[in-house]
Amino acid sequence: MLGIVFTSLVDMLEEKASPEFADEVLVEANLENEGAFTAVGYYPFSELEKIVTVLVDKTGKPVDELLHDFGFYLFGKLAAAHGQVLSGKDSLLDVMEYLDGDIHVQVRKLYPDADLPKFTVLSRTDTAMRLRYFSKHELYALAEGLMDAAAEHFGTPVERQTIKSSEPHTYEFSLKVI
């Protein structure tokens, strides 16, 4: 998993709680690298799972709520660090339409080892979109947070519905601009 995901999560814990809280979480997670992450590094997904497990225990929040909150925060970090990837996009729907064919291509140039989710546009109108999301890591709630933050970033409020598919690790997102 990309280092920027880990460094952003630590940043969020420091900003939303405290540096001491972030340190406690990292120590309790018993990470292989003791929580020494770099934005350009690549780390096992299991390390993220350890951190999230500790956060669930410490906060009492459900894992999906924590992942959504993190996805929302992560969008801001990614937009600030890689804003050029969003250039020419005017709405959340534009971003989602070009995610796999354009944005993820750019991400792979920066991070060749990235294990990115797959987004497939099933249908699109000017005000609505249906997407298929696949990720073996089951991070659909993080993707929801990213989408919600992108909608806010572009000033395009949306109604979002998530439906678990009968296919493993697959969800459908229905987005409607309101």
Side-chain angles (χ1 to χ4, degrees):
M1 181 148 263
L2 296 177
I4 194 167
V5 171
F6 289 91
T7 58
S8 296
L9 180 55
V10 172
D11 288 348
M12 183 182 91
L13 296 176
E14 290 176 347
E15 288 176 28
K16 302 288 183 183
S18 71
E20 295 77 22
F21 180 77
D23 288 343
E24 285 176 30
V25 169
L26 296 175
V27 168
E28 287 182 35
N30 195 27
L31 303 168
E32 291 175 18
N33 67 351
E34 299 179 354
F37 299 110
T38 65
V40 295
Y42 195 80
Y43 306 95
F45 176 70
S46 59
E47 297 295 89
L48 180 65
E49 290 176 306
K50 291 177 188 177
I51 295 169
V52 171
T53 298
V54 170
L55 284 171
V56 167
D57 291 343
K58 289 183 91 52
T59 66
K61 287 185 174 182
V63 67
D64 288 346
E65 184 179 336
L66 290 168
L67 288 173
H68 178 277
D69 292 350
F70 176 52
F72 197 95
Y73 180 87
L74 181 61
F75 178 84
K77 287 290 191 174
L78 294 173
H82 304 292
Q84 75 279 6
V85 174
L86 297 175
S87 67
K89 312 296 184 286
D90 296 322
S91 71
L92 167 65
L93 299 182
D94 287 346
V95 170
M96 298 311 296
E97 183 171 6
Y98 297 105
L99 193 57
D100 273 351
D102 181 24
I103 295 172
H104 279 176
V105 169
Q106 298 302 319
V107 171
R108 286 199 191 285
K109 287 178 185 176
L110 297 168
Y111 307 102
D113 296 330
D115 183 13
L116 301 170
K118 176 83 174 137
F119 287 88
T120 305
V121 176
L122 301 174
S123 64
R124 165 131 194 226
T125 68
D126 289 342
T127 59
M129 176 180 280
R130 283 188 49 236
L131 298 156
R132 179 174 293 122
Y133 166 86
F134 171 84
S135 171
K136 64 183 177 184
H137 297 307
E138 294 287 331
L139 294 174
Y140 71 91
L142 189 142
E144 291 172 332
L146 286 163
M147 285 186 277
D148 291 348
E152 184 176 285
H153 172 82
F154 288 108
T156 353
V158 295
E159 288 179 357
R160 178 185 38 76
Q161 183 180 15
T162 304
I163 302 159
K164 183 163 178 42
S165 169
S166 58
E167 299 172 41
H169 314 296
T170 305
Y171 295 80
E172 285 191 16
F173 296 121
S174 176
L175 306 170
K176 182 179 178 186
V177 176
I178 51 176

